[in-house]
Amino acid sequence: MTAQPGHRPLAVPPEPPARPRSSESGSERRTASVPAPPAAAPAPPAPAAAGPPASAAWRVGDPVGLRRFATPARPLALERGGSLSGLTIAYETWGRLAVDRSNAVLVLHALTGDSHVHGPAGPGHPTAGWWDALIGPGAPLDSERFFVVCPNVLGGCQGTTGPAAPAPDGQPWGSRWPEITVGDQVRAEALLADTLGITRWAAVVGGSMGGMRALEWAVALPERVARAVVLSCGAAATAEQIALYATQLAVIRADPHWLGGDYHHRPAGGGPHTGLAFARQMGQVSYRSEAEFAHRFGNTVQSDGRYAAASYVEHQGAKLISRFDAGTYVTLTTAMMSQDVGRGRGGVPAALRGCRVPVTVAGIDSDRLYPPRLQAELARHLGTEAHLVSSEFGHDGFLLETAAVGQLVRAALADAGS
């Protein structure tokens, strides 16, 4: 059902609370107390020349941009034990919520994305919307028809509670941040839905890490999801993915400025930038296809003496350190390593065969990180068809092939909210 004329969006406080309420850390999973800040470890000297901030996480006092903030009243129980209370969840919305609240669509971002799925770059938003073409009047996620919600994920660094956010003692969580799973992230998003008064999403849509969460929504909370669109992911992390992710995390942790995760107090230039940039470089190779690398770069040497392909991945690493947090990269990557929709549900086939929610499954034909065989497995156990988008862009095709992906989303949501 569409929004009624004159219906006003929900009133949400424009700023998050400056002092979070008490919470419990999963790093001391059997206790209710928050771990004390770790003793100061010897830190390498900060570079003489100023560089990027130790963390590019959004902080209270930074420009808010289009963000809104929710503070769920209930604590979040964590899968590995313990709980978190006093959460802040940053999110953005487009369109109007219908009077009967039947037209809400949840869009979920990937590893280094955030809530800014649509709109220009500007104060508070270092980059333009990552799926800009999919949202707006007449777009596949039609803002004249749907109330579109995109939250920053639990453990994120753009306004939602995570490693860079203040713990109850006012200091960044840092090394005290608990290990979280995809299931924990979905339960946090359910708390956001409760805060907004949305009992059932017309659809949940996501790709890559967002697709993992869309799938978890459909399996874990079927009564709260009318349909799901799952792009460019599988049912469980593969051995190769785990090995690749573990190596990226090792590179970050080997950076002398990592300090066990307690680097957020360091001055500009003093964060684990080298480790984060190298991890991103490794990831970028897996995000694109071999054919694209061959076509764009080959073995060309630039005028500065660097290989063009090397220059490209170095540029991607340098960009990330200016807008992201190393602790968030670690916690979200660890969550992806733990992904297994069959855990506690009798295994993947049983979990998917028991799913009552209609799921649209799609992948990219050149994706080598989450190859089409994984989407084929999902579709087979769900009893549906796996759609394949042709692209030279590899895994990043779910972000870049907006015409083809938009067509799939439009078809999946044809009768949503009606």
Side-chain angles (χ1 to χ4, degrees):
M1 179 177 292
T2 57
Q4 299 301 313
H7 181 72
R8 300 169 65 90
L10 291 174
V12 181
E15 294 283 353
R19 189 181 300 273
R21 293 169 291 187
S22 62
S23 62
E24 301 168 9
S25 169
S27 59
E28 291 191 6
R29 293 170 186 155
R30 303 306 175 195
T31 69
S33 61
V34 175
S55 168
W58 185 91
R59 305 195 183 199
V60 174
D62 289 346
V64 170
L66 298 177
R67 292 176 185 82
R68 301 178 178 191
F69 300 91
T71 53
R74 298 200 313 276
L76 172 68
L78 300 176
E79 186 174 343
R80 305 298 196 205
S83 64
L84 287 166
S85 56
L87 292 177
T88 294
I89 300 175
Y91 67 100
E92 296 177 42
T93 69
W94 299 266
R96 292 184 175 183
L97 186 61
V99 173
D100 64 359
R101 302 177 183 246
S102 65
N103 68 332
V105 174
L106 182 66
V107 176
L108 303 175
H109 68 78
L111 171 62
T112 59
D114 56 33
S115 63
H116 196 53
V117 64
H118 176 66
H125 302 297
T127 58
W130 51 267
W131 242 4
D132 204 46
L134 265 69
I135 297 176
L141 294 168
D142 189 345
S143 56
E144 294 181 336
R145 176 183 170 200
F146 298 117
F147 179 65
V148 181
V149 180
C150 183
N152 185 214
V153 70
L154 177 71
C157 61
Q158 290 299 316
T160 293
T161 303
D169 60 6
Q171 299 301 311
W173 277 101
S175 64
R176 299 175 292 163
W177 179 253
E179 181 180 345
I180 60 173
T181 66
V182 171
D184 293 331
Q185 293 169 333
V186 167
R187 285 185 287 276
E189 289 156 3
L191 291 178
L192 170 63
D194 293 343
T195 303
L196 298 177
I198 297 169
T199 57
R200 189 169 187 251
W201 298 104
V204 179
V205 182
S208 191
M209 187 183 78
M212 298 175 199
R213 283 148 47 220
L215 180 65
E216 181 72 14
W217 265 99
V219 173
L221 300 169
E223 71 283 357
R224 304 198 65 171
V225 185
R227 59 190 54 72
V229 180
V230 174
L231 308 170
S232 300
C233 71
T238 68
E240 183 176 54
Q241 290 160 3
I242 292 170
L244 174 62
Y245 294 154
T247 305
Q248 293 178 46
L249 300 190
V251 168
I252 293 175
R253 289 167 173 150
D255 189 316
H257 294 282
W258 169 246
L259 302 180
D262 295 310
Y263 56 86
H264 295 92
H265 65 286
R266 297 282 286 158
H273 299 135
T274 299
L276 179 58
F278 284 172
R280 177 63 165 190
Q281 289 179 219
M282 295 172 62
Q284 193 67 27
V285 175
S286 71
Y287 300 153
R288 299 301 182 112
S289 73
E290 189 276 336
E292 185 197 8
F293 272 96
H295 175 73
R296 289 181 64 182
F297 308 116
N299 61 356
T300 302
V301 178
Q302 299 177 159
S303 59
D304 61 3
R306 294 187 298 165
Y307 284 105
S311 177
Y312 167 73
V313 295
E314 289 164 7
H315 174 65
Q316 297 299 320
K319 282 202 309 183
L320 189 68
I321 65 175
S322 68
R323 67 174 185 85
F324 214 68
D325 175 67
T328 283
Y329 197 99
V330 168
T331 197
L332 299 188
T333 300
T334 302
M336 290 194 297
M337 291 167 70
S338 78
Q339 190 226 1
D340 184 352
V341 76
R343 184 170 55 246
R345 300 177 179 126
V348 167
L352 296 179
R353 288 170 187 160
C355 179
R356 309 191 304 271
V357 176
V359 180
T360 297
V361 177
I364 307 297
D365 62 359
S366 58
D367 191 342
R368 50 185 174 174
L369 181 60
Y370 288 88
R373 68 176 180 80
L374 300 181
Q375 291 88 61
E377 176 193 36
L378 274 177
R380 182 172 68 254
H381 293 313
L382 287 166
T384 188
E385 175 187 3
H387 301 272
L388 205 57
V389 173
S390 180
S391 175
E392 189 182 52
F393 298 126
H395 184 64
D396 275 353
F398 86 92
L399 293 169
L400 300 174
E401 301 290 355
T402 53
V405 171
Q407 186 176 0
L408 287 169
V409 171
R410 191 185 297 276
L413 274 62
D415 62 347
S418 60

